[in-house]
Amino acid sequence: MAEPNPALHLKALRRKAQRVLWWERAWEPLRWPLLLVAFYVLACLARIPQSLPDWLHTLLEAGVLGTALWLTITGLRRVPPVSIPLADRRIEHDSKLAYQPLLSLTDRPAFAGNGEQGAIWSRHVERVTASLGTLRVGLPHPETSLHERLALIAVPLAIVVAAVLGGTHTPSRLHAGLLPGVDDDSIPLPTLQAWIDRPSYAPGAPIFLSATGHTTLDVPQGAILNATITGAHGKPVLHGIASPEQNRLDAESWNSHGTLQQSGTISIVVRGRTLGSWRVKVEPDLPPTVTWDGKPGPQKDDWRTGLPWHVHQTYGVASLEAEINLPGLTRGRILHVPIPLDGQPKDAKGIATPDLSSDPFAGMEVEGRLHARSVSGRESRSDIVKFQIAARKFTDPLARALVALRRRLMLGQQRASQAAAELNLLTQTTDERAILAALGLEIASLQKDAPDGSADRVPGELWALALYLDDLRRDGPDIADAAAEVRAAQQGVQQQLDHMRDLGDKGHTLPEQEELQRRTQALKDALNRRMQLLFSRAAQSGIVMPQSGTSSADPFSDEMRRLQSEANQGHGDEALRRLQQMEDMAERMRQARPEDLKALAEQMKTQAEARAQRAALHDLVHRETTLLDHTQSRLSAAQKAAAPPDDGSRPDVSQMSTADLLRQLGMQPPPGMEQPTDAKPPAPVDPAMVAAQSEARRADHALQRALQRVNDILSHRVKDLTGKPATAFDKAKTDMQTAREALADRKDAEAQTAEQKVLADLSEAGKQMRQNQKSGGSGKGGQGGGSLSFIPSGGAGGSGQPQHGAKGQQGDDGDQPQAGDEDGDDDDQKDQDPLGRKLGEGDKGKDSDAHIPDKSARDRARDIERELRRRASDRTRPQSELDYLERLLKSF
């Protein structure tokens, strides 16, 4: 390591000595400012400045610190600089050097005429510097009097004592004393009540906030944070929210609120202290996703257009419509077709079947897209697809000509004068006075001197006239008049429903409801008159029309009542959907033909076969349940015979696990609750009793084999009827075979498990069978041939879809509900067989759930409840178990 240069080392020591001497000289002007600042710190620790009003606190602090600063600046300006000789004397003093050797370093030779003398003197300086040894400079030690030394000890000691007495509040007291408008921790915090209101498009309960949140809160975009602060001596500040609003309630109360638009940390600060801090994650409100769920186009054998759709939005879709336009149309007409939704779904799909046959686009290749609007007002549109709109097929030539003329007129392809001239020519094709009169009125409405608005009614009147002409050609004047009356009544109901929906809450007044009732009654009367005409015409032709499949006096009362109820309750979309179904019903009403009656006979045969299959399944389930009861009775008797004598004592509930207590109550413990570490061995059985039961077991074995054969036959018949297999029958067959083998081996416990699986399989098979029959199959019997809708079934089915059937029949299949027809989808039926009984309840297989517990069972349930309440109050148990017990005991 290289030796340090003595000359450079001495130079550095001189600078240090100058600084030390300067600080010693500066002590005199700095002692009073330091004392003033120390006294102010003591005052802050004693909470004197912060107890003053903020303006007085500010003046006091500014006066004290300003005075100290002024004294410091003026005093330091008077401190003289330190010269190098004084620095050398300080170095000699602190290094304890005698005879002031550093003076020789600053001397100069008296005669330095030639270079040899200068070199000799430089050599002398180097020797002196090297001989100095270790040089040092001590710390500053200004000259102080006795009073000053006492003050230097007393003032810091007082500050330390005050800081110790302040404890954990010391930092906050210093902070509050130095910053006016800030409180220290000695002052109680203001009371905070904070919550988050969900936006209107995502309804739900408010989220109440504690003072500090350790978890991240998931909130929808647009949620509003509300905070009420009471006992505050200053204005609260809301951080983390753009443009918060503050409202002063009284002298010490405030209300703050702001909209949450982005994720982050939100805090409320009052006078420098944080009242609450929370982390929030804002879920963005995205536009809905809307797509076509298939190819739009005409429905098969129908004049309705199918519009398959699929929408998704996190918080729900408020409205959906199809926007349809004709490519290349100069006027740019857009057809808006509302698609009804079931409420405000978050994820839904379906197919709308609006009647667009009256639109001028009917029968043409168009472009369409879906337009969805979420409950929050966000909008989006689907991709554009090309499809054809369904059109009615008119058999009357004049009707077809009127429809074509109407289309050109509505699309702007023909002027009113040209349409009037064409109508004038069409009057020469008919001799019917009523038709000629109607055409004359249309021609007059298209003239230039016609009243304002007359031309706007022409398209609608031309459409009604075309429908009347087609009915007239097919059914004659009486039925055509009745059909026109029905359509007029339907239009009246439609207008009233639209009017009530536009009025909103005001549309549910008594006068509006009475008007709707009057119009629906007129529609029902018109439908009944048309149906009576059809029956009369059929009787004259020697054809017996089948009666309606409803028990009502007429098939329309129930539908009308439902329509009116939905409209009065504000369910406008449901009412319009039901009216659309009734329009289909009215349009399909016609006189039965011999081929219709033949198809009706085939369908009735199919329905009878479906009823027979359900009855067979019902009987199969009943007999399988009887087998299960027999097995459980034998198993219980064998276990009871092998069990030790009962001394009357019951198991101690305090020694049982919580999961076992819940099982004693017939409840399934939640996942994660403690389970027994060792599996409980099965109860022993008495071999002698098992041997004595052999005869009953052989009888059950034979019955199980017969039931297995019935199951196979029923499976084949279901597949032949619907063309679709019910796979659950195959699982039932396998489980029946397992039950037979267990019975043959005298294993009643295994047989019991297998028979329970058989009942579950048969229940699932019943669901599959009913689903296949409802959806229609392609097998023998042909349920998939479509509905025969020449006469309505009314409200029996409640679906509004036209049906037919023999008198006394009801529902989709024309039969009364059978036992065992329930779907069994409810969770409450998981422990029930398809007959609705508890599995294996009773030794006689009684079809009843009614069970009155005896006094012993009630006492035991009461003991278990008390033990559960004791465990819920034991805070040493796992938190998950305590939460579950708290929720469970709320129901007691």
Side-chain angles (χ1 to χ4, degrees), residues 343-366:
Q344 296 177 343
K346 298 180 180 179
D347 191 353
K349 62 173 59 177
I351 177 169
T353 56
D355 181 7
L356 305 180
S357 59
S358 62
D359 193 83
F361 290 165
M364 306 178 70
E365 188 80 13
V366 297

Side-chain angles (χ1 to χ4, degrees), residues 62 150 166 211 225 301 366 398 549 624 696 722 782 794 881:
L150 292 176
L225 173 69
D301 301 329
V366 297
L398 180 56
E624 187 67 36
T722 63
E881 179 180 336

